[in-house]
Amino acid sequence: TGEGLPLLRAFLQRIPSRLQLSGLFGDVSDPVEFHIDGVYNVNGVGIVAGGLLRSGCIRPNMQLLLGPDKASQFKPVLVKTIHYKRTPA
């Protein structure tokens, strides 16, 4: 019937986000931290990295540092496009 839905919505909006409270995720104003959990070679596209954005904000044509590698070095990489759940973001 929908009875009580406005009250439920108001209550849910007042609950603090566990994303911030957990300490696992930073703010969009923080430096970019992206944890790669999959790397794919897509025909016609090239190498694609998938993962979880822990903090910051990533945009197309942005240069990021990938690493560290076994020698504790970081390599500059260029973000060409961004897709969220396999659709352009």
Side-chain angles (χ1 to χ4, degrees):
T1 66
E3 184 180 346
L5 279 179
L7 183 60
L8 177 61
R9 285 188 182 110
F11 172 74
L12 292 174
Q13 288 175 346
R14 286 181 173 81
I15 297 174
S17 170
R18 292 185 340 181
L19 292 177
Q20 297 300 326
L21 295 176
S22 70
L24 296 175
F25 296 92
D27 196 62
V28 295
S29 62
D30 291 341
V32 171
E33 183 178 341
F34 182 79
H35 289 214
I36 297 173
D37 59 22
V39 178
Y40 314 93
N41 192 357
V42 179
N43 290 335
V45 176
I47 297 175
V48 176
L52 181 66
L53 182 62
R54 299 284 299 262
S55 66
C57 181
I58 300 175
R59 302 193 190 293
N61 300 314
M62 187 176 195
Q63 186 170 348
L64 299 174
L65 296 174
L66 177 65
D69 60 15
K70 291 179 183 178
S72 298
Q73 300 295 311
F74 289 83
K75 179 180 179 180
V77 295
L78 180 67
V79 176
K80 293 187 179 179
T81 61
I82 299 173
H83 288 244
Y84 174 74
K85 294 191 177 182
R86 300 181 186 208
T87 59

